[in-house]
Amino acid sequence: MTLQEKITAIFPEDSQIPESYRIEPVHQKEYLVNGQMRQWTGATQDVFSPVFVKEKGEFVSKHIGSYPITGETEAMEALNAAVKAYDNGRGEWPMMSVADRIVCMEKFIKKMLERKQQIVNLLMYEIGKSLLRYD
């Protein structure tokens, strides 16, 4: 086997990736400001994985999604909302009891666990790391 054949053999065709590890690109069309998701219709940035696959005999970086390219206006809105929410340590979260914070975090964890496989797969593609199971 030639060096070129050995290198080519390392990279699978996209169709050879097991179904349980495939991803659909995630196209983020919203951004968070003041506790609300706002629709974004402006420019977006494509995100490509360091993982390459073969497509039609060529090596291509796996497209994993896109995110909004917001500007100064959106950044200042988000910053001002965060400053207002913190309220010099008197905002809802900083004044919340530990028990209530735990309830919030448990809700968050439950929602994350519902999407665990999708998140794990996206992380594998995003950083180019193989799956290592601990369960």
Side-chain angles (χ1 to χ4, degrees), residues 2-70:
T2 68
L3 179 60
Q4 178 66 31
E5 290 170 332
K6 287 178 183 178
I7 292 171
T8 301
I10 293 171
F11 295 91
E13 296 279 342
D14 197 41
S15 62
Q16 292 174 305
I17 297 171
E19 186 68 36
S20 59
Y21 301 118
R22 290 187 192 174
I23 61 166
E24 288 296 321
V26 175
H27 298 287
Q28 186 178 337
K29 298 288 187 181
E30 298 173 314
Y31 65 102
L32 178 66
V33 173
N34 202 25
Q36 297 180 344
M37 296 302 288
R38 294 190 180 171
Q39 290 296 313
W40 179 254
T41 58
T44 59
Q45 175 66 52
D46 284 323
V47 179
F48 292 91
S49 171
V51 174
F52 278 71
V53 293
K54 284 187 288 192
E55 279 185 13
K56 300 176 185 166
E58 294 192 24
F59 301 118
V60 295
S61 181
K62 184 93 172 118
H63 184 242
I64 59 175
S66 61
Y67 61 88
I69 301 176
T70 58

Side-chain angles (χ1 to χ4, degrees), residues 52-111:
F52 278 71
V53 293
K54 284 187 288 192
E55 279 185 13
K56 300 176 185 166
E58 294 192 24
F59 301 118
V60 295
S61 181
K62 184 93 172 118
H63 184 242
I64 59 175
S66 61
Y67 61 88
I69 301 176
T70 58
E72 182 179 345
T73 301
E74 294 82 15
M76 291 308 299
E77 284 179 316
L79 178 61
N80 290 333
V83 167
K84 183 179 175 185
Y86 183 68
D87 192 21
N88 291 310
R90 294 183 305 270
E92 182 180 359
W93 182 261
M95 295 298 290
M96 191 179 290
S97 70
V98 172
D100 287 343
R101 286 186 191 191
I102 289 170
V103 169
C104 289
M105 293 307 299
E106 286 173 341
K107 286 180 186 176
F108 173 76
I109 291 167
K110 183 179 184 281
K111 289 183 181 220

